[in-house]
Amino acid sequence: MGNILISGVNLIKEYGTDFKTRALNEVTIDIREGEFTSLIGASGCGKSTLLNMMGALDRPTEGQLFFNDRDFSVMSEAELAGFRNRSIGFIFQFHHLLPEFTVLENVLIPTWIESGTVNLKKEKRAIELLETVGLKDKIRNPSGNLSGGQQQRVSVARALINDPYIVLADEPTGNLDSESTEQVYELLRKINAELGMAFLIVTHDRHIAEKSDRIIEMKDGRIISDYHSGDRTPEAIWNQIAPVNCKYRHREGEGGCGEHRVCMPGTGRTKC
Ligand SMILES: Nc1ncnc2c1ncn2[C@@H]1O[C@H](COP(=O)(O)OP(=O)(O)OP(=O)(O)O)[C@@H](O)[C@H]1O
Ligand SMILES: [Mg+2]
């Protein structure tokens, strides 16, 4: 097992003043170097809130966060912004590319933000990354001309340009068709294996969860289960956290029955 990279201790996050919503309720979590982790749970359970805390996009109401033993709470907003740009890659459901800029320029944006300039070394790295994500022939195209799946692959390359320790992804395939979804999963796993950075991925998709080293499940602002693949198959893990039986037995490629949040084709098992 790798060393601990990000550590959250008794994290509480409350939104609102008069009427408070507790989005995180005493969450303690460690993410290790190189680990490929899925974060799952029903809508509103606090997944994005936790991801935003781990990425220093927001501060907890109570509790502590450490990155390689560095305490986030003593860092100023400017220090946090610099740290985020250098050390963490972000991928969101909507890719947030600048459509009129080329694919290559979009990948280089974090570099411009960090140093106000782009050197040849970084440009070479951006081209290598675009090759890794299968888009080398598109580097001079405006990103707005690409398909949804291709644009998301550009955002994967952009997340990697500063060689982050960890990539945080919030439903990275939530807006894609099933073929592009599969391509993006394969890509994330390949990057994890080849480049060794950790991934924490919020997903509603069983296939991503099954490809993970670890599955963390949340409910009502708390972590209710934390499974490492280790000696069990990913499917066994999924079955354990998907205890509700669905009367329909869907086949691979069919949609769910609409009654359940996620239906597992062929098994009748559901995750509600
Ligand atoms: N900026 C905010 N202001 C007030 N309440 C918020 C805010 N952001 C999130 N919440 C509340 O915090 C809770 C957790 O929200 P969060 O977005 O983390 O859930 P989620 O698990 O990511 O859900 P989804 O799967 O729908 O994206 C919800 O009750 C939500 O309404
Ligand atoms: Mg969310």
Side-chain angles (χ1 to χ4, degrees):
M1 257 202 264
N3 295 325
I4 292 175
L5 196 59
I6 308 183
S7 194
V9 183
N10 288 328
L11 300 175
I12 293 176
K13 179 66 183 179
E14 286 180 342
Y15 292 109
T17 42
D18 296 340
F19 182 77
K20 287 189 176 146
T21 304
R22 187 170 277 211
L24 289 184
N25 201 353
E26 296 181 8
V27 169
T28 293
I29 179 173
D30 287 334
I31 299 292
R32 290 176 182 272
E33 286 171 350
E35 207 170 45
F36 194 93
T37 304
S38 290
L39 183 57
I40 65 169
S43 180
C45 70
K47 303 179 296 296
S48 296
T49 304
L50 180 58
L51 203 79
N52 292 346
M53 300 291 134
M54 307 295 277
L57 287 170
D58 200 0
R59 290 181 189 271
T61 311
E62 281 180 43
Q64 284 175 295
L65 266 160
F66 301 93
F67 192 98
N68 278 340
D69 292 334
R70 245 184 118 181
D71 187 345
F72 281 1
S73 68
V74 300
M75 290 164 73
S76 68
E77 292 305 318
E79 281 175 321
L80 277 182
F83 163 81
R84 264 197 311 267
N85 195 40
R86 279 189 308 278
S87 309
I88 303 179
F90 293 94
I91 306 171
F92 299 99
Q93 181 172 356
F94 301 100
H95 43 74
H96 302 300
L97 300 180
L98 302 174
E100 66 279 19
F101 284 69
T102 67
V103 164
L104 182 61
E105 286 165 344
N106 269 285
V107 173
L108 288 166
I109 284 171
T111 307
W112 275 319
I113 293 173
E114 191 185 354
S115 55
T117 175
V118 172
N119 59 37
L120 273 178
K121 200 169 144 215
K122 280 286 184 188
E123 187 166 327
K124 190 165 162 267
R125 178 73 182 134
I127 294 170
E128 276 169 14
L129 288 169
L130 283 165
E131 193 167 8
T132 303
V133 303
L135 292 173
K136 202 182 174 194
D137 57 331
K138 304 276 186 208
I139 58 175
R140 305 285 169 202
N141 289 31
S143 70
N145 292 359
L146 271 53
S147 72
Q150 289 171 332
Q151 295 195 32
Q152 193 57 305
R153 284 188 274 145
V154 176
S155 79
V156 171
R158 182 186 55 187
L160 301 173
I161 187 68
N162 282 341
D163 286 322
Y165 293 96
I166 183 167
V167 174
L168 302 176
D170 199 345
E171 301 196 47
T173 58
N175 202 30
L176 300 180
D177 60 46
S178 56
E179 198 185 324
S180 305
T181 295
E182 196 58 34
Q183 285 176 358
V184 171
Y185 295 160
E186 293 297 338
L187 181 62
L188 298 182
R189 210 41 170 131
K190 180 176 131 187
I191 289 164
N192 165 256
E194 287 177 5
L195 304 181
M197 66 255 310
F199 280 77
L200 178 60
I201 303 175
V202 170
T203 183
H204 288 299
D205 195 303
R206 168 193 170 224
H207 291 281
I208 271 207
E210 278 191 2
K211 286 186 167 62
S212 304
D213 301 323
R214 181 180 176 193
I215 304 175
I216 297 172
E217 186 178 24
M218 292 185 69
K219 188 178 180 189
D220 299 333
R222 293 179 190 273
I223 290 176
I224 56 165
S225 64
D226 188 351
Y227 295 95
H228 292 259
S229 52
D231 49 3
R232 276 168 301 172
T233 62
E235 180 153 11
I237 295 172
W238 185 268
N239 282 339
Q240 198 164 345
I241 59 177
V244 182
N245 283 315
C246 175
K247 62 186 172 181
Y248 303 103
R249 288 189 173 266
H250 310 282
R251 284 194 296 274
E252 198 70 53
E254 288 178 352
C257 59
E259 288 181 23
H260 304 100
R261 189 163 178 79
V262 178
C263 284
M264 289 179 63
T267 64
R269 304 283 274 175
T270 59
K271 168 86 188 79
C272 291

